[in-house]
Amino acid sequence: MMTDKEIISLMQEEAYKPMSYKELEKHFGIESANEFKDFIKLLNQLEESGHIVRGGNDRYGVPERMNLVRGKLQAHAKGFGFLIPDDRDHPDVYINAHDLNTAMNGDIVFVKVTARSQGGGRLEGEVVRVITRANTQIVGVFQSQETFGFVIADDKRVSRDIFIPQHAFMGAVTGQKVVVKIVNYPEGRSAAEGEVIEILGHKDDPGVDILAIVRKFQLPEAFKEEVIEEAEKAPDSISEEEIIGQGRRDLRSKRIVTIDGEDAKDLDDAVNVELLENGNLRLGVHIADVSYYVRESTALDIEAYNRGCSVYLTDRVIPMLPHRLSNGICSLNPRVDRLTMSCEMEFDEDLKLVNHEIFTSVIKTSERMTYTNVRKLLTGEAEPEIVEKYDYLMEDFKRMEELAARLRSRRMKRGAIDFDFEESKIIVDSEGKPTDIVKRERSVAEMMIEEFMLAANETVAEHFSWMKVPFLYRVHEDPDAEKLMNFMEFVTNFGYSVKGKGNSVHPRALQALLEEIKGTPEETVLSKIMLRSMKQARYDAQSLGHFGLAAEFYSHFTSPIRRYPDLIIHRVIREVLESGGTLSDKRHEYLSSRMSDIAQQSSERERVAVDAERETEALKKAQYMLDKVGEEFEGIISSVTGFGMFVELDNTVEGLIRLSDLTDDYYNFHERQFALIGERTSKIYRIGDEIKIRVARVNMDEHTIDFELLDMKPRKEGGFNRGGGSSNRGGKPSFKGAAGFKGFRGGSDKGKPEKGKGGFAAKGKGGYAKAQGSGAAGGERKERAGAGGTAEGKERAERVGAGGTAEGKERAERVGQGRGAGRAAGGAARRIEAAARTEGGAEQGRGEGSGRAEGGAGQGKSRRGKAGSTPWSEKRGKGGAGRGKAGGPKLSEGGSLSARLESVGAGRTESGAARGESKRGRGGIALGGEAQAGGGSPTAERSTGGSDWASGVNALAKGGRRRSDDGDGSKKRRR
């Protein structure tokens, strides 16, 4: 019988030329009608899944041979997107908003590459076909316009509202959260069209917020009827016949305990430690044998595969398996018989693993211990009744504590990286309203269980890797060399150094840095930035090692109740044990063919779960701070960006102090130092600084919080009165200062530059061309900088490690396609190209620059203007299309721009694209690049280590956008 592999392999051969179905039929020697029918069906399936492509001449080939790239689209809130190719070695492809061709975030698509950078690294393309739709339903707020309606999507990556015809309202009214089924996808200027299929309730009703997140991520709540029926067939207890018939090892006489949190209900791991006669220690890790009850290809198994993992939201859990199993027969409840998969490890006095066994077993746990009680027992803080109750276990706990401490010490010595983040727990009332946020304690009890689980996971992974059987591994590849080099350069600003080079840094060097910064103000910040410079852990069918743990072999073996990969490897282990240590060739081939697919599915479902958990946490933290507006707190600067700085409070709540709210000076963002430096005062705000703040605003639509500094002095009269964002987004009105300047973006919805009087105008006469988005300004670039306070990963575009990495810069140079975004005429850097300024007062200078307003305004050139010697606040020129005189700007008291930047240890940086070219102008200085000055003036110098003045101007104008949380560096639970 013909297989898909045979067809794909043929088409991947270099000598292959596209064939029609008749030519392929002849090539494969298909004769019978049934064979031909199956062949055509397989050909259609491969075409529909995107593994092969049929060209315009009805000839078939593989995508890579036809200049097409297959992958997942990651859209951005500003309209553009990136293709994340299936081939991990292929670079991402930037896609202009106008080239998405009905595709939406998460869709599997074919993209045709249309442009390449000179080095071949940066690619641009257009979607030519949507293979699989990821968005069939959208959650958002309904707005009625009587004869029609529209839905504003909760997911900001759905950048356009969804049109709802009147007949599809289903009774929805303005302000309600609804679920919309998409009927027609967006095409050209037409928005997507949908119909309301579910009304969740008014957006302010209790519980609707979490329900909306559940629907947004399409998390399955109820189990299907056939799944429940299978779960109900599971027994309530275990019979002796089962134990004897399966040949399980009986461990019921051993003192085995579970140690979990007080509120845990699915107890899937138990431990014991024994002192052997030879003086060695035997560690036993016993895991619930879920695979015995969830058999392959059953309804339970298919449901668990589709869910991938349990999802832990603030006030609820969406389990992978029905409660009948997860809280019943599979949970290792105290003093009842339970079937388990055990891994026993024997360590000698030097902590060398001298023996290990992996086998099926039956246990009866002695106690259901909690982290709190174990900690109190080991630290001597326990109440007398607790000491008396668990006295018979004290010797075991002390052995566990000693063994865990030694295992941890050995792991640290080999170079494992231990990120000791402070995690938070949000306490909610019966209506889901947050009442408190407390820090999760990572005590000796938690660390003890953590070490035992790590030891079992490594042992199991290594054992089955050497057996060469199909398996699933948890892998964490080496960091990207460029990102790591950026991080190593960044830490030098704090006086630290990391041994090694970007492509050869041992994890031990990074752990040494974590130990060095422990207890310092910058510890949390540097730890987060280090984490963001690394790749995400994932599942794979190949054992590629785990960089963060400095482990050659690693798997997930210990949580089959809540993770599908653990369930799968339990199934493989059982099959290997029952068949005498080998698998038949047929079974080996089948399992091998399935593992890559299971690894990918599990990794994707894990990302969905983490994203949902983070969004829920952000929502509840915003709700908690809603009634704290006006209150004062102490915090630490956790991130600095071109649009402001993020401050983290002691309760882990994080908020943004916008650049527009720093009113005592004009601040420039210095990318390499991650600092904001005042032009006039040279005041510096940088990562790790402790500051006092006041809660200014809470935005419940975006789940974000704004802070403001205490005792912020206003600027001198004549300065900018800057807005906190464009007016159409609900922020402050666009600024209009005493010198007659209007905002660069202001409240314009169409992207048209506004007219203003004075030295600055987007389109007018005043010597300075509009800042088109320098490397430090605006939301578009810094929203994706990993260390710039934006989280790691809802979008691939935001995974740029320690911020300002080359990858992030290359992408950011092309992202000016969003609403109201601008782009420089010479390329995508969108920088100020030239400006005129007089030196000495007598000479007149001209500066010329061109720009483009992308939001529908078309192209417009900034006018030429004559610059005099009078400061801009004293002499105004008319903005707009006419010609006139404008005052030459006097930037501030204290000398030239270069001199002032140098005085605080920074100069202009090349934060934009290298493609942008500066124009020539008499007496002009290049603010955004390197420009030749006319009239005998010397060439403007470049320097590194800071940010150009244009960054400050553009950040003032745009007010900045808030970050969108993502990637692996946020404070969500890490396992």
Side-chain angles (χ1 to χ4, degrees):
M1 181 179 173
M2 179 69 59
T3 65
D4 53 357
K5 284 187 176 181
E6 290 179 86
I7 297 174
I8 294 173
S9 295
L10 169 68
M11 296 182 182
Q12 286 176 336
E13 293 177 2
E14 289 187 16
Y16 175 80
K17 292 183 180 180
M19 296 183 186
S20 65
Y21 76 90
K22 290 183 178 180
E23 291 170 327
L24 288 169
E25 174 193 2
K26 184 177 180 181
H27 175 85
F28 287 112
I30 297 171
E31 296 179 355
S32 70
N34 286 334
E35 278 186 316
F36 178 74
K37 184 179 178 181
D38 291 338
F39 169 69
I40 294 298
K41 186 177 179 181
L42 182 59
L43 211 58
N44 288 335
Q45 288 175 349
L46 288 173
E47 184 186 357
E48 288 174 6
S49 65
H51 289 95
I52 65 174
V53 181
R54 181 174 58 175
N57 54 1
D58 287 338
R59 295 179 181 274
Y60 292 88
V62 287
E64 56 267 29
R65 299 284 297 276
M66 304 176 80
N67 194 31
L68 297 176
V69 185
R70 185 182 187 272
K72 178 182 285 189
L73 177 70
Q74 283 196 346
H76 192 277
K78 295 192 185 317
F80 59 89
F82 288 96
L83 178 79
I84 314 305
D86 291 344
D87 181 0
R88 295 193 189 102
D89 296 328
H90 194 287
D92 297 349
V93 183
Y94 167 76
I95 303 169
N96 186 296
H98 304 298
D99 295 328
L100 291 175
N101 296 335
T102 81
M104 299 176 71
N105 181 64
D107 288 351
I108 304 299
V109 298
F110 274 141
V111 166
K112 180 180 180 181
V113 177
T114 57
R116 296 176 183 266
S117 63
Q118 288 184 350
R122 291 172 295 175
L123 304 179
E124 295 188 23
E126 61 177 332
V127 175
V128 296
R129 180 187 153 199
V130 176
I131 301 169
T132 305
R133 293 283 184 187
N135 300 281
T136 57
Q137 297 178 3
I138 298 292
V139 178
V141 178
F142 182 81
Q143 297 287 339
S144 175
Q145 301 293 322
E146 295 185 4
T147 57
F148 68 93
F150 56 90
V151 170
I152 304 169
D154 287 352
D155 189 347
K156 302 308 176 188
R157 292 172 294 186
V158 180
S159 57
R160 289 194 283 182
D161 303 333
I162 300 163
F163 174 77
I164 311 293
Q166 190 175 24
H167 66 81
F169 283 13
M170 207 185 87
V173 297
T174 297
Q176 287 184 326
K177 286 269 187 183
V178 299
V179 181
V180 176
K181 178 183 177 182
I182 297 180
V183 177
N184 294 312
Y185 287 87
E187 187 167 5
R189 299 194 176 204
S190 301
E193 182 182 334
E195 59 183 13
V196 177
I197 59 172
E198 184 180 6
I199 299 173
L200 305 180
H202 192 275
K203 62 185 180 69
D204 296 327
D205 289 347
V208 171
D209 48 9
I210 299 292
L211 185 58
I213 291 175
V214 170
R215 294 289 189 273
K216 174 182 173 180
F217 290 97
Q218 298 183 36
L219 300 175
E221 288 184 288
F223 287 95
K224 298 174 183 176
E225 189 175 337
E226 59 267 29
V227 175
I228 296 296
E229 287 177 1
E230 280 190 10
E232 290 298 324
K233 293 177 183 177
D236 292 318
S237 59
I238 298 163
S239 65
E240 288 297 322
E241 290 77 12
E242 276 186 291
I243 297 169
I244 296 171
Q246 296 174 50
R248 290 179 178 269
R249 192 175 301 183
D250 193 340
L251 305 179
R252 287 176 288 184
S253 61
K254 294 181 180 288
R255 289 195 303 271
I256 298 173
V257 297
T258 60
I259 306 177
D260 292 275
E262 281 83 355
D263 54 355
K265 295 181 177 63
D266 50 350
L267 313 179
D268 50 10
D269 57 82
V271 295
N272 74 304
V273 173
E274 302 172 86
L275 180 63
L276 303 180
E277 293 181 359
N278 59 5
N280 293 347
L281 283 175
R282 179 190 289 151
L283 167 64
V285 176
H286 315 280
I287 309 300
D289 191 358
V290 181
S291 65
Y292 177 75
Y293 300 100
V294 182
R295 297 290 178 160
E296 187 176 29
S297 299
T298 60
L300 274 169
D301 181 48
I302 294 169
E303 182 72 9
Y305 169 84
N306 290 331
R307 294 187 176 219
C309 59
S310 297
V311 184
Y312 295 83
L313 305 180
T314 306
D315 60 353
R316 70 195 72 185
V317 176
I318 300 176
M320 183 179 78
L321 298 171
H323 288 141
R324 170 81 177 177
L325 294 175
S326 61
N327 295 358
I329 192 66
C330 292
S331 184
L332 306 183
N333 299 326
R335 292 174 289 279
V336 293
D337 293 349
R338 287 292 184 260
L339 302 182
T340 50
M341 189 77 71
S342 295
C343 175
E344 289 189 340
M345 297 154 279
E346 182 180 339
F347 298 95
D348 65 15
E349 59 182 9
D350 297 322
L351 211 65
K352 182 181 178 182
L353 183 63
V354 295
N355 191 23
H356 75 273
E357 282 188 279
I358 301 167
F359 53 90
T360 57
S361 57
V362 57
I363 67 170
K364 180 187 287 187
T365 58
S366 303
E367 296 287 352
R368 188 257 198 256
M369 300 299 300
T370 65
Y371 291 130
T372 302
N373 284 343
V374 172
R375 173 182 61 80
K376 288 181 176 179
L377 288 168
L378 291 173
T379 58
E381 302 171 10
E383 294 81 1
E385 57 270 23
I386 293 178
V387 173
E388 182 180 354
K389 181 178 181 180
Y390 300 122
D391 182 64
Y392 76 104
L393 292 172
M394 276 304 298
E395 190 175 351
D396 291 347
F397 290 148
K398 288 178 180 177
R399 285 200 189 105
M400 289 181 188
E401 180 184 21
E402 181 185 359
L403 176 60
R406 295 184 66 194
L407 286 171
R408 175 178 168 78
S409 176
R410 184 184 69 174
R411 190 164 58 85
M412 293 299 103
K413 284 180 181 177
R414 80 183 185 197
I417 303 171
D418 184 27
F419 292 104
D420 190 12
F421 292 114
E422 290 183 334
E423 298 180 11
S424 61
K425 180 179 181 181
I426 301 172
I427 311 297
V428 297
D429 60 19
S430 58
E431 292 188 343
K433 182 180 178 181
T435 57
D436 198 9
I437 299 176
V438 297
K439 290 183 179 178
R440 290 185 185 270
E441 189 176 15
R442 190 188 182 203
S443 67
V444 61
E446 281 94 341
M447 295 173 69
M448 207 161 66
I449 293 300
E450 181 180 298
E451 292 303 324
F452 294 163
M453 298 303 111
L454 288 171
N457 285 337
E458 287 186 47
T459 301
V460 168
E462 183 171 7
H463 180 97
F464 286 93
S465 177
W466 286 113
M467 289 190 72
K468 307 291 186 186
V469 296
F471 214 65
L472 281 180
Y473 300 91
R474 182 70 170 177
V475 302
H476 186 217
E477 295 160 287
D478 291 353
D480 178 79
E482 187 175 8
K483 291 181 182 179
L484 203 53
M485 283 296 292
N486 283 332
F487 170 73
M488 293 164 66
E489 183 178 352
F490 170 67
V491 299
T492 60
N493 293 300
F494 295 85
Y496 302 107
S497 62
V498 179
K499 295 180 180 179
K501 297 180 180 179
N503 56 355
S504 61
V505 174
H506 194 278
R508 188 183 298 114
L510 298 176
Q511 177 58 31
L513 174 63
L514 291 178
E515 292 172 0
E516 188 177 357
I517 64 177
K518 196 168 185 64
T520 64
E522 59 267 18
E523 177 187 5
T524 301
V525 174
L526 292 182
S527 298
K528 287 179 185 176
I529 296 176
M530 181 191 295
L531 184 63
R532 290 169 190 162
S533 69
M534 297 181 184
K535 294 182 179 178
Q536 293 179 353
R538 58 182 177 83
Y539 297 102
D540 200 284
Q542 304 297 320
S543 180
L544 305 176
H546 198 292
F547 179 84
L549 294 173
E552 186 177 356
F553 306 97
Y554 195 68
S555 65
H556 273 173
F557 164 75
T558 54
S559 297
I561 290 178
R562 59 185 175 88
R563 292 190 304 228
Y564 192 71
D566 304 53
L567 172 59
I568 285 296
I569 67 172
H570 274 228
R571 193 173 287 157
V572 173
I573 292 170
R574 161 191 302 285
E575 198 165 337
V576 169
L577 293 175
E578 290 177 351
S579 59
T582 59
L583 293 172
S584 66
D585 291 343
K586 184 178 180 180
R587 188 62 180 162
H588 191 286
E589 183 180 352
Y590 171 76
L591 288 173
S592 296
S593 68
R594 291 278 295 130
M595 287 303 169
S596 292
D597 174 63
I598 294 172
Q600 183 176 351
Q601 164 73 359
S602 300
S603 298
E604 289 176 357
R605 295 307 302 170
E606 180 187 42
R607 288 291 344 139
V608 170
V610 170
D611 287 344
E613 290 163 4
R614 285 179 182 151
E615 184 157 333
T616 305
E617 183 178 274
L619 163 70
K620 291 303 177 184
K621 284 183 175 179
Q623 278 185 354
Y624 177 74
M625 298 301 290
L626 200 55
D627 60 0
K628 307 289 190 296
V629 173
E631 295 186 21
E632 300 174 0
F633 297 89
E634 290 187 356
I636 184 172
I637 298 176
S638 59
S639 170
V640 179
T641 75
F643 52 87
M645 53 188 175
F646 289 93
V647 178
E648 184 176 319
L649 307 184
D650 188 55
N651 62 3
T652 71
V653 170
E654 195 171 49
L656 170 67
I657 298 178
R658 294 176 176 277
L659 200 66
S660 55
D661 290 331
L662 298 177
T663 56
D664 63 337
D665 201 349
Y666 302 106
Y667 286 85
N668 295 314
F669 173 53
H670 295 268
E671 200 168 8
R672 293 179 182 272
Q673 288 81 20
F674 275 87
L676 292 173
I677 302 178
E679 285 190 11
R680 180 177 55 83
T681 61
S682 297
K683 186 185 290 186
I684 300 176
Y685 293 105
R686 65 176 182 176
I687 287 178
D689 289 350
E690 295 180 358
I691 58 175
K692 293 182 178 180
I693 61 92
R694 181 186 296 109
V695 181
R697 294 173 292 275
V698 175
N699 186 326
M700 289 308 302
D701 291 331
E702 296 188 11
H703 309 158
T704 53
I705 304 161
D706 278 7
F707 295 154
E708 59 187 13
L709 281 173
L710 294 185
D711 304 323
M712 178 55 63
K713 297 178 181 179
R715 291 194 184 85
K716 291 182 180 180
E717 202 171 325
F720 287 115
N721 176 22
R722 300 176 297 180
S726 62
S727 59
N728 63 327
R729 281 287 181 184
K732 295 180 181 179
S734 36
F735 66 83
K736 187 173 183 181
F741 300 85
K742 264 196 173 180
F744 288 73
R745 289 175 69 181
S748 173
D749 287 326
K750 297 182 179 180
K752 293 182 180 179
E754 296 192 18
K755 300 177 181 180
K757 299 177 181 180
F760 287 76
K763 181 179 180 183
K765 206 178 161 184
Y768 283 79
K770 174 181 175 182
Q772 295 287 350
S774 72
E780 290 173 329
R781 295 190 65 176
K782 291 307 155 196
E783 278 179 350
R784 305 199 320 277
T790 66
E792 357 139 82
K794 287 181 184 176
E795 293 121 8
R796 179 76 163 249
E798 292 175 336
R799 299 174 304 106
V800 282
T805 63
E807 178 187 357
K809 291 179 180 178
E810 287 171 354
R811 291 182 184 171
E813 288 164 4
R814 304 195 301 274
V815 301
Q817 305 296 333
R819 299 175 181 171
R823 187 163 68 179
R830 299 171 287 119
R831 307 176 60 167
I832 295 178
E833 291 184 305
R837 191 178 78 164
T838 57
E839 300 289 348
E843 184 182 353
Q844 289 185 334
R846 285 185 185 270
E848 183 181 3
S850 62
R852 193 170 87 188
E854 290 282 342
Q859 293 183 344
K861 290 188 176 181
S862 50
R863 303 293 191 242
R864 300 191 179 200
K866 298 179 180 180
S869 59
T870 313
W872 63 57
S873 59
E874 299 174 18
K875 187 174 182 179
R876 302 177 181 178
K878 295 183 179 179
R883 290 178 176 265
K885 294 185 178 180
K890 182 179 180 182
L891 295 177
S892 69
E893 300 297 332
S896 70
L897 170 67
S898 300
R900 283 183 288 107
L901 288 178
E902 288 172 3
S903 71
V904 294
R908 298 191 302 279
T909 63
E910 242 183 288
S911 54
R915 292 187 292 175
E917 296 179 3
S918 301
K919 305 290 184 182
R920 294 176 180 263
R922 293 203 303 272
I925 67 168
L927 297 183
E930 187 170 353
Q932 296 286 340
S937 297
T939 302
E941 295 181 359
R942 290 183 179 180
S943 61
T944 57
S947 176
D948 53 29
W949 188 83
S951 303
V953 173
N954 210 23
L956 290 179
K958 294 191 175 180
R961 282 180 58 85
R962 302 170 196 249
R963 68 174 187 166
S964 55
D965 254 311
D966 179 65
D968 245 14
S970 81
K971 300 182 292 299
K972 202 60 200 164
R973 75 185 196 287
R974 296 171 178 80
R975 300 186 181 92

